[in-house]
């Protein structure tokens, strides 16, 4: 599911491989696309600097650029451009500053970095062979210079990795939370993205300050089960 950049539209990928577009102002379905993917759509993100284009990925291994400019013409063709076949896709992120699409696989642990303008794979981030359930997020304040990702592994200590996409180096690791078997989502937060937030399998929300990844700054209890998704609301310290 994704908003358009101007927040006028919501796009929803369905289990029947279709994609629906809704008007945010009234909840009305504007169009249903039926042919852009041949298997489950797993990720939709807005195309940079456009209110009418989106990047979609799915289990069919395809990444497409979908154009909904003719959304009000019910007889218009499904206008999309296929970027290629990559892997069974779990998640897509976009680095605006570097023009990279970050591709998270549902079937292996490599993170593929695709150069959107050059139309080629730039490089891959190799995670541990024992890792599973990779999830990533992109920094907002610097328009995607940094990537964080977490992986589950029952045999090693859980960690979130801070990766510099410009230098292609790991800059820091954040420890102390629990992720053995599940997808656990993490995100940047705070002024200049100086904090890292994560859920955990021990029912706690963790917050670290960058530069001190060995010791969580705060732990927020209150859940009665695994905290597997987390996000920030706007620029305020409101956690959902």
């Amino acid at each position: 599911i994704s908003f358009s950049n101007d927040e006028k539209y919501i796009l929803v990928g369905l289990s029947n491989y279709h994609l629906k577009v809704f008007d945010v102002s009234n909840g009305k379905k504007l169009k249903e696309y039926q042919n852009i993917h041949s298997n489950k759509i797993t990720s939709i993100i807005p195309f940079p600097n456009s209110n009418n284009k989106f990047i979609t990925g799915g289990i069919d291994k395809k990444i497409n650029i979908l154009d909904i400019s003719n959304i009000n013409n019910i007889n218009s063709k499904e206008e999309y451009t296929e970027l290629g076949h990559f892997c069974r896709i779990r998640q897509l992120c976009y680095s605006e500053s570097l023009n990279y699409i970050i591709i998270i696989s549902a079937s292996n642990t490599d993170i593929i970095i695709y150069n959107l303008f050059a139309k080629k794979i730039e490089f891959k981030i190799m995670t541990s062979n024992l890792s599973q359930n990779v999830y990533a997020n992109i920094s907002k304040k610097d328009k995607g210079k940094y990537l964080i990702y977490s992986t589950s592994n029952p045999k090693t200590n859980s960690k979130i990795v801070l990766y510099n996409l410009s230098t292609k180096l790991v800059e820091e690791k954040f420890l102390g939370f629990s992720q053995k078997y599940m997808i656990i989502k993490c995100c940047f937060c705070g002024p200049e993205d100086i904090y890292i937030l994560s859920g955990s399998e021990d029912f706690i929300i963790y917050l670290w300050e960058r530069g001190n990844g060995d010791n969580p700054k705060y732990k927020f209890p209150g859940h009665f089960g695994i905290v597997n998704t987390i996000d920030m609301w706007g620029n305020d310290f409101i956690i959902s």
Side-chain angles (χ1 to χ4, degrees), residues 23-181:
D23 187 323
V24 171
S25 65
N26 57 26
K28 179 182 177 182
K29 185 183 79 170
L30 300 176
K31 192 157 187 173
E32 182 168 348
Y33 295 89
Q34 300 181 19
N35 300 307
I36 61 173
H37 285 279
S38 59
N39 207 323
K40 184 179 179 181
I41 300 170
T42 53
S43 189
I44 308 168
I45 55 176
F47 195 87
N49 304 313
S50 173
N51 295 323
N52 298 309
K53 290 184 178 182
F54 297 83
I55 304 170
T56 69
I59 298 300
D60 59 1
K61 304 182 180 181
K62 290 197 305 182
I63 294 179
N64 294 323
I65 307 296
L66 174 66
D67 189 341
I68 65 168
S69 300
N70 295 323
I71 190 71
N72 294 315
N73 182 355
I74 60 174
N75 296 316
S76 63
K77 295 181 178 180
E78 298 188 359
E79 298 182 7
Y80 67 91
T81 303
E82 185 179 314
L83 293 182
H85 286 69
F86 297 88
C87 57
R88 290 164 53 88
I89 294 166
R90 169 180 291 134
Q91 180 198 7
L92 299 173
C93 303
Y94 184 74
S95 168
E96 184 178 348
S97 63
L98 298 169
N99 301 312
Y100 289 161
I101 298 175
I102 292 87
I103 305 169
I104 309 300
S105 172
S107 53
N108 62 62
T109 58
D110 295 345
I111 300 174
I112 300 171
I113 310 301
Y114 179 82
N115 189 317
L116 179 58
F117 287 173
K119 300 292 190 298
K120 67 175 185 178
I121 294 175
E122 197 73 24
F123 61 97
K124 294 182 180 181
I125 301 171
M126 312 296 287
T127 65
S128 168
N129 290 332
L130 297 176
S131 299
Q132 303 176 53
N133 297 322
V134 180
Y135 181 84
N137 218 321
I138 205 80
S139 55
K140 301 293 191 298
K141 303 299 183 181
D142 56 18
K143 298 184 177 181
K145 180 181 176 182
Y146 289 94
L147 176 76
I148 53 173
Y149 63 89
S150 62
T151 62
S152 66
N153 189 333
K155 297 183 179 181
T156 63
N157 292 330
S158 305
K159 62 182 179 292
I160 295 170
V161 176
L162 176 67
Y163 191 91
N164 188 320
L165 290 168
S166 296
T167 63
K168 303 179 185 178
L169 295 173
V170 172
E171 291 204 355
E172 194 171 0
K173 296 178 181 179
F174 301 90
L175 310 174
F177 73 114
S178 176
Q179 183 184 8
K180 300 297 184 182
Y181 304 100

